[in-house]
């Protein structure tokens, strides 16, 4: 079995409704251009306040995905 | 444009129902005496357990608010 | 009043539905063999991604429980 | 039961005699103007040295207190 | 000599010109309502970007000040 | 010489009198069921406040002990 | 309003003259290929020393930018 | 699919020869009494020095294992 | 001399044999699409356990590379 | 007024009796060869356990001292 | 090529004018007794406040220098 | 038994071959001028990359040694 290599990118998702939706908004957006996502880790949870209410939650994620596929470029 | 100054206070909100409600309980309470809240950051998530169940979630927040207004005192 | 002693164990709960359910899954499992649980602290929030969606949330907890009872062994 | 909200303030106590006295000096001072203190957490332990001896210990605390009482202002 | 007690507050200063000016903007604002400031510690350095340029620097400070004076309230 | 293996457990001791007594209360309790303790590390120092005084100090320790002895189980 | 998603990249800028110039060198370089930059956070400040003088300052930044635009790829 | 729960224990392995052997010594010892180990994380790397040489490497690990099996006790 | 700018990416390499091989597997993979790599920093060391043995080591790296070359895009 | 420069060294003091004595043992030893010590900061608190009792407390300190005096060498 | 060894010392520089000057004050002082300095890392930024103004900035640095030269002693 | 005092110095060892060799290179160098070394702790693992390969591993260590001997100076 070949040794696996993963790349980790940092994303910030946001949602007006809750923490899980903020996580999902980031992963949904990433899914449009990244394949083979495997895991995420929450690194920060913040939010904006407007008119004394939470306007939206912001969750910063690290997302790991496989770069096994030779056709996927690691170049930034 | 004048340079902005913010103050950051640390609050602990709690809720029997979930993490977002614990966040909101702290912000609702703060809204009674603080104006111009702009953002929050979660710094710790804990909870109490009673009878083998989560009795309430406790979320510690840092809350930032503008002190542009000259009439707002920074004195503790 | 006698001085209290607590033990802290680290658990990872998971859920397909959300963060609170992942927390509760760990505490429900612990309740089968540990008595006198008092508090938890979230130390990490992660998750697995399958087919571009969150497959399950994973929350790592520290759970504290009282070891006042002489009959409870601290031995690992 | 209503959901609880706490505020956390950061204080530095000092003492010529020891760590516990430094902790108590901060809490005694706070007691003159803050009610409903519930817990503290030590966040840093330092001290000054004069003539090759510890001149005083300095302990930085976070102190949490209940803001349930509507008459207590959260304004800074 | 009586034992000293200090309070530490967290502020965010900003400036369009540089890091030192951001620090000074926070201290200048605090000086309008807080006496006896003694030290600061930088806890975070951030900034906003507009049109591909730094629009302003934001420096988060902890500022310590003496509460020796009995007339100064620690109440938030 | 065989290679050594240690296990590390996390305990919280408490005391009404001071930090060293809180440390000792945890180790005394552990001594009833764990053999071969070798070291401890303080990971957090907290306390409860009642009536404006420290009601008890709470010190969280990691305690390491040898598991050389084949008869000691590592199972949780 | 659609929920926003941001990507965060890590850059190291350097300058012979000072910290702000090092920050700006990284943002200027990024501006050639990244649009919609919104904020930065300093995560490390280092430098090289040659002939007993600072040869250049090196500031490591996290830079956040919006990926709202469907035409921008998140692929690494 | 039922939600999974894992327990995490902290171990210190040691070896006279290298870091991988120290990791393996801890896992080999744990294997005598723990089933279903799934992952480890290195949390500290230390060692003892005798006669100006490394006498042995010590690697502190967190080891996660599944507690799906109802017959495995979580009690400490 | 022009001021240098570097980009830092996060990668996870794995190996069945040891820590150095896990580091090299990540750098070998990156070399297929990234030029001008200059340094790496280990940010986490983990591994998977199967049948009571280390199945593979996983080392998370930050890798820095020069973006001096105008033709290299910083776009993610 | 000339700008001040301090050097910071790391020491571990130990004591059979308590934390303050461990701090003082390190400072007393340092006083034999270092002049102009100004402050200390506790960076770790550990101890050894023998026969189920604390054998000695070990406190790791950073100690800062002035190097204003031209005759004091900074060379290690 | 022989393998290189570096020593890292911790210094605090101060300046009435700014952060870069505080960094340079520490390196200038070190240059009087240390040769072969290669890099520095900022580990803390603080300052003293007098009369509501920054009296001086204090920057704590780690400074690395080569100890290749056999004639340079590592003894403290 | 007299109370022990240790000093901790920070070193960076390097090696073209692996992590253990980098650790040993630092300890070998230190052994030429420091006596009574007792332990080390790895605080950072980095490396340089040249031509898409690891050119050398760099391991930053804290090394503790006894200063019991009155003839050993703590002066920097």
């Amino acid at each position: 079995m070949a040794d696996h290599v993963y790349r980790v990118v940092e994303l910030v998702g946001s949602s007006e409704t809750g923490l899980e939706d903020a996580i999902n908004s980031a992963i949904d957006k990433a899914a449009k251009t990244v394949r083979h996502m495997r895991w995420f880790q929450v690194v920060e949870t913040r939010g904006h306040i407007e008119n004394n209410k939470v306007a939206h939650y912001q969750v910063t994620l690290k997302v790991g995905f496989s770069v096994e596929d030779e056709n996927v470029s690691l170049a930034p």
Side-chain angles (χ1 to χ4, degrees), chain A:
Chain A
M1 184 193 75
D3 293 328
H4 298 266
V5 176
Y6 304 90
R7 175 127 186 256
V8 180
V9 293
E10 190 168 328
L11 302 171
V12 183
S14 65
S15 162
E16 299 175 13
T17 49
L19 301 176
E20 288 86 352
D21 285 352
I23 292 169
N24 288 322
S25 80
I27 291 172
D28 285 353
K29 174 68 75 175
K32 293 179 179 169
T33 53
V34 179
R35 291 184 296 166
H36 306 306
M37 290 187 287
R38 296 294 160 76
W39 81 88
F40 69 90
Q41 178 183 8
V42 174
V43 291
E44 188 168 56
T45 302
R46 304 173 69 101
H48 285 174
I49 303 172
E50 293 174 8
N51 299 320
N52 289 336
K53 298 289 183 194
V54 174
H56 52 267
Y57 300 91
Q58 286 184 309
V59 180
T60 305
L61 304 177
K62 293 208 175 187
V63 176
F65 56 91
S66 172
V67 291
E68 300 307 298
D69 185 349
E70 294 303 321
N71 296 326
V72 174
S73 169
L74 263 175

